[in-house]
Amino acid sequence: MKYDRDMIKAWVQASRPPFFIATFIPLIIGWILGAENGSWHISRFILVVIGAFMVHLATNLANDYFDHIQGTDAGESIGGSRVIQEGKISPDELFKAILLCYLLASLVAFYFLFILKLWALLPFLLLALFSSYFYVAPPIKYGYHGLGELFVGVNMGPVMVVGTYWVIAGRPDWVPFFISIPVGLMVAVILYYQSLPDMRTDKAVGKYTLAVRLGKRRAFHCLILFWTAIYVSILFVIFLKMLHPMALLSLLTVPLFVKLLRIVRKIDDWMELDGYGNYIRILYLSNGLIIIFSLLF
């Protein structure tokens, strides 16, 4: 019994639950926008959630697996879930789970393409699959070349929001696309922040994330630029009258961001920043919920 509990805890650790909020918010936004005509299509949305979460889980597991294979998570690195390094789950078990997740996600995609006849979604689905697997998987491993934030932002922003809208409404639209921009930027900055503590160890193994390429001083400035772009994009969507003015409440989160900046600035060894990642997740959750509630008015 204890063995079963330990295994469950290990798989929960491998899945990294705190980051699933990154998937949930864009799906909710796309669902609300797509159901404006009164057709909520709950069964379709449940399938969207299952498919999206399977891809997210597969991405997390693949990140652990391929970073381990390439030695990125060895030594002093604090990246990943550490289940392999701690001997809780073997690489083979992890790889089998990755295949299972992609299989379940593919079944959902099959339903959308063949049953609902939403063939135009195929490029979105292929991009999501490509981005998920090749984030750190060779030979492409675009996350090693400073492109992680770009692909994550596109997938967790436009692909998820517009894709969900499309499944619910049966057609694409520019409104969900514009609203997805600040969402995609916020998810991208979650990944960006998570790379800051590992800058030294990532560089040592040849993983040139955006933060590594920028260097410590410019990486700090880029963090400011990211969140400035987020707030500006929210204001822009309000200006276009695609979001209710209630979304201006997002500006109330600025003091929390300023507090995080002060923390980053005063810490010399950025490996300590790993303990403050909850600030970024709270910022994302707060702004995401504000956008969601503004869509209800």
Side-chain angles (χ1 to χ4, degrees):
M1 192 70 177
K2 183 179 182 299
Y3 175 78
D4 290 340
R5 285 199 300 269
D6 289 343
M7 283 304 299
I8 291 173
K9 289 179 180 178
W11 282 106
V12 170
Q13 179 181 334
S15 68
R16 291 179 258 181
F19 296 99
F20 281 124
I21 190 66
T23 291
F24 193 62
I25 283 178
L27 297 182
I28 290 290
I29 290 173
W31 186 33
I32 292 173
L33 288 168
E36 283 185 343
N37 61 358
S39 300
W40 288 92
H41 292 294
I42 295 176
S43 59
R44 290 189 186 185
F45 180 67
I46 290 173
L47 285 176
V48 170
V49 170
I50 292 173
F53 274 84
M54 285 300 103
V55 172
H56 190 156
L57 178 56
T59 304
N60 288 346
L61 299 181
N63 189 1
D64 275 355
Y65 177 80
F66 288 108
D67 271 350
H68 169 73
I69 295 298
Q70 296 166 108
T72 307
D73 283 344
E76 297 180 1
S77 173
I78 57 175
S81 70
R82 316 304 294 169
V83 291
I84 295 178
Q85 290 73 22
E86 295 169 5
K88 295 178 179 178
I89 300 176
S90 71
D92 286 344
E93 290 174 319
L94 213 58
F95 189 70
K96 290 176 183 177
I98 293 167
L99 294 179
L100 178 60
C101 288
Y102 282 133
L103 174 61
L104 293 175
S106 297
L107 292 175
V108 173
F110 178 88
Y111 178 81
F112 292 150
L113 296 174
F114 290 90
I115 307 301
L116 298 184
K117 307 296 183 183
L118 297 175
W119 287 100
L121 278 174
L122 183 59
F124 278 60
L125 299 174
L126 291 177
L127 175 60
L129 178 62
F130 171 90
S131 303
S132 171
Y133 185 78
F134 285 112
Y135 173 50
V136 292
I140 298 174
K141 51 180 181 179
Y142 64 84
Y144 279 62
H145 305 291
L147 297 174
E149 288 80 6
L150 174 62
F151 276 88
V152 166
V154 169
N155 278 281
M156 307 294 269
V159 170
M160 278 198 174
V161 176
V162 178
T164 303
Y165 175 92
W166 202 330
V167 169
I168 302 302
R171 57 178 175 77
D173 196 271
W174 284 107
V175 172
F177 172 77
F178 281 109
I179 293 176
S180 74
I181 293 174
V183 178
L185 286 171
M186 284 191 286
V187 181
V189 82
I190 291 177
L191 176 64
Y192 178 75
Y193 182 88
Q194 290 301 124
S195 71
L196 299 182
D198 264 336
M199 284 178 63
R200 179 166 51 84
T201 53
D202 280 346
K203 186 176 182 180
V205 295
K207 186 176 182 178
Y208 287 90
T209 61
L210 177 59
V212 170
R213 290 181 178 277
L214 290 172
K216 198 169 182 180
R217 182 176 60 84
R218 287 188 294 178
F220 175 75
H221 293 154
C222 188
L223 182 62
I224 298 174
L225 182 62
F226 255 123
W227 274 97
T228 300
I230 289 165
Y231 289 121
V232 169
S233 62
I234 291 174
L235 293 174
F236 180 66
V237 178
I238 294 172
F239 174 76
L240 292 178
K241 297 183 178 180
M242 294 179 178
L243 270 182
H244 191 275
M246 180 187 174
L248 288 170
L249 290 174
S250 63
L251 297 177
L252 294 176
T253 66
V254 171
L256 181 60
F257 176 59
V258 172
K259 182 177 180 180
L260 177 61
L261 287 181
R262 289 173 179 165
I263 292 172
V264 176
R265 196 165 191 172
K266 75 177 182 181
I267 290 179
D268 203 36
D269 184 358
W270 274 16
M271 289 189 79
E272 295 179 33
L273 294 181
D274 186 61
Y276 296 95
N278 60 310
Y279 280 79
I280 287 290
R281 293 191 290 274
I282 291 171
L283 280 165
Y284 173 68
L285 176 61
S286 301
N287 283 282
L289 290 177
I290 288 170
I291 291 175
I292 288 172
F293 285 127
S294 71
L295 292 174
L296 301 176
F297 286 86

